[in-house]
Amino acid sequence: DHTYKVFKDLMLGENVEIDLQNVQIADNLRDDTFGYSMFDDPRNEHLFGNWASRDRRKWPPLLRAILEKPSLRAHFCVMSEHTQSLQWNKPRIDAWLSLYFKLSELLLISFEFKGGAPIRSTELTAATFRNGAGGRPRNQMIMSGRLCLTFFYNKMTARTGKDGFVPLVWDAASGYIMMQNLAILRPVAEVFALALRPHDPTFLEIMHTACFPSSSGLFDGVDLSQGIAKWTGDHLRHTFNLSNWRQVSIAIKRKVCKIIESLLEDPDTIEAAQSQHAFAVDQRVYGVSGNVRGGVIEDVLPLHFEACKRWQMAMGIVPGTSDVISSTSPTSSSISVPFCSSSSSSS
């Protein structure tokens, strides 16, 4: 499995993967403050560490190993002749970072194939796992124990009074790699990016917030299309670009995942009429909770999750799910990520 192999190469032989079996991870869905993510929540420090801490013992394990293990320190650092102090070996950290961007591309392609719906490429490539500047909320979060990328669309805004909401669930294997990536590899990638491009604040913010950073900042639709063409050309009899894949995937989805179609286009209901208000009010005001992003009625989540599950099972991969369903607090969710071995399915 190529994605997992790239991930293990980036781990530099260190056995420091975080045990995500049956653990609870806090994720405050109502926290829109700049820079917040589950990886920065103090309640998760025992899992992910705190690389902003002055205490090196709290740093993520791979970053700590690079700085403390003699063999890794010798590989990535050099002694400055002028200051007689250790500095980063820029060609070597650049090579590691190039491989990291390859992993980022593979995870992007994997989610396009296996996430359960054909999200616009501009939205997918710009997805974030931390809240961005200007109040932009993150896309990746935990909902009802599942690791999701969430997206909003405005097709139904005029009728319902709010943007539409689509949570897409990571499959088990790719979701596991993504969690390990953001918890262990991304802190190293950010440190290396700062060393190589200290005067590029836009790039550094992308490295701090984006799910799928690239060497140029973010991938675009052309990059995604070329990546899909290369992958399908290497593994299938035919080469698909992004447009071809959308045609095929939507046709398949209509057959195996019809459960969500009525949800997205639901008319006024008898129940809403009995309450003497429109269905738009029913959706916007009643039956909502802090366990769902954007004030969406919580009852829609199982339908979205079922649609993703059906798609992933149709693709012959292990669906993303969780044994931990209950929330850890009224504004938090928790997750248990199935273990992914090197033989797990991932693009």
Side-chain angles (χ1 to χ4, degrees):
D1 179 76
H2 187 50
T3 305
Y4 191 74
K5 181 182 183 302
V6 172
F7 164 70
K8 293 299 287 185
D9 288 345
L10 288 164
M11 292 289 284
L12 305 172
E14 294 296 301
N15 185 24
V16 293
E17 293 177 38
I18 297 171
D19 184 3
L20 296 175
Q21 284 279 21
N22 302 313
V23 299
Q24 290 192 339
I25 301 175
D27 190 1
N28 190 339
L29 303 185
R30 293 181 178 177
D31 193 331
D32 290 332
T33 57
F34 173 69
Y36 175 81
S37 76
M38 70 184 81
F39 303 99
D40 307 288
D41 194 304
R43 293 171 293 177
N44 298 327
E45 188 172 301
H46 64 290
L47 286 171
F48 304 134
N50 178 5
W51 71 291
S53 173
R54 293 180 178 273
D55 186 351
R56 186 178 291 185
R57 293 172 299 179
K58 295 183 178 181
W59 289 1
L62 186 61
L63 179 61
R64 193 169 65 246
I66 289 172
L67 294 173
E68 295 179 352
K69 192 171 183 178
S71 59
L72 292 179
R73 189 170 62 241
H75 180 80
F76 287 106
C77 300
V78 293
M79 183 68 70
S80 170
E81 296 180 358
H82 301 291
T83 63
Q84 293 300 303
S85 62
L86 285 177
Q87 296 182 345
W88 292 115
N89 185 323
K90 290 188 176 181
R92 288 182 176 174
I93 67 174
D94 186 49
W96 187 95
L97 203 55
S98 295
L99 186 62
Y100 181 81
F101 293 137
K102 180 60 180 178
L103 177 67
S104 182
E105 180 187 28
L106 289 170
L107 287 169
L108 173 66
I109 294 171
S110 178
F111 195 83
E112 172 64 33
F113 278 137
K114 300 185 291 186
I119 292 297
R120 293 185 183 93
S121 60
T122 52
E123 296 181 16
L124 179 57
T125 56
T128 58
F129 72 99
R130 282 191 174 101
N131 293 336
R136 178 188 175 185
R138 63 200 180 280
N139 298 95
Q140 181 159 291
M141 56 191 67
I142 296 169
M143 286 187 173
S144 296
R146 291 163 175 82
L147 183 65
C148 302
L149 281 181
T150 60
F151 301 92
F152 290 85
Y153 65 100
N154 57 21
K155 178 181 177 182
M156 306 296 290
T157 304
R159 187 166 69 83
T160 65
K162 62 184 178 182
D163 291 345
F165 170 76
V166 180
L168 301 177
V169 182
W170 281 92
D171 68 279
S174 300
Y176 174 86
I177 296 174
M178 188 64 172
M179 287 291 290
Q180 300 290 346
N181 161 36
L182 296 177
I184 299 175
L185 300 179
R186 183 59 68 87
V188 177
E190 285 195 58
V191 169
F192 287 178
L194 179 61
L196 293 170
R197 297 167 67 170
H199 305 299
D200 190 344
T202 300
F203 178 72
L204 295 177
E205 182 181 343
I206 288 172
M207 291 299 298
H208 190 61
T209 62
C211 289
F212 310 108
S214 75
S215 59
S216 59
L218 290 173
F219 295 101
D220 59 23
V222 174
D223 298 321
L224 180 57
S225 187
Q226 291 175 346
I228 289 173
K230 184 178 187 310
W231 192 92
T232 55
D234 290 343
H235 299 281
L236 304 177
R237 292 184 179 181
H238 303 284
T239 298
F240 291 177
N241 59 24
L242 180 59
S243 178
N244 301 145
W245 168 245
R246 294 289 171 86
Q247 292 284 345
V248 172
S249 64
I250 290 176
I252 297 173
K253 192 174 180 68
R254 285 172 181 160
K255 298 294 185 182
V256 300
C257 306
K258 296 182 68 174
I259 187 172
I260 205 169
E261 291 180 4
S262 61
L263 175 68
L264 297 179
E265 302 290 347
D266 208 347
D268 283 0
T269 64
I270 294 297
E271 290 79 4
Q274 289 174 340
S275 300
Q276 297 183 344
H277 54 242
F279 181 65
V281 177
D282 204 43
Q283 282 193 306
R284 186 173 65 253
V285 178
Y286 300 102
V288 300
S289 79
N291 295 324
V292 184
R293 182 74 189 184
V296 179
I297 52 176
E298 193 164 355
D299 290 348
V300 308
L301 281 183
L303 299 178
H304 284 284
F305 295 158
E306 179 64 20
C308 291
K309 178 181 177 180
R310 290 187 184 185
W311 173 257
Q312 290 164 358
M313 292 181 69
M315 296 296 101
I317 54 181
V318 179
T321 185
S322 172
D323 295 328
V324 181
I325 302 300
S326 60
S327 299
T328 57
S329 76
T331 56
S332 302
S333 278
S334 53
I335 188 171
S336 172
V337 184
F339 181 76
C340 163
S341 68
S342 58
S343 59
S344 297
S345 176
S346 181
S347 65

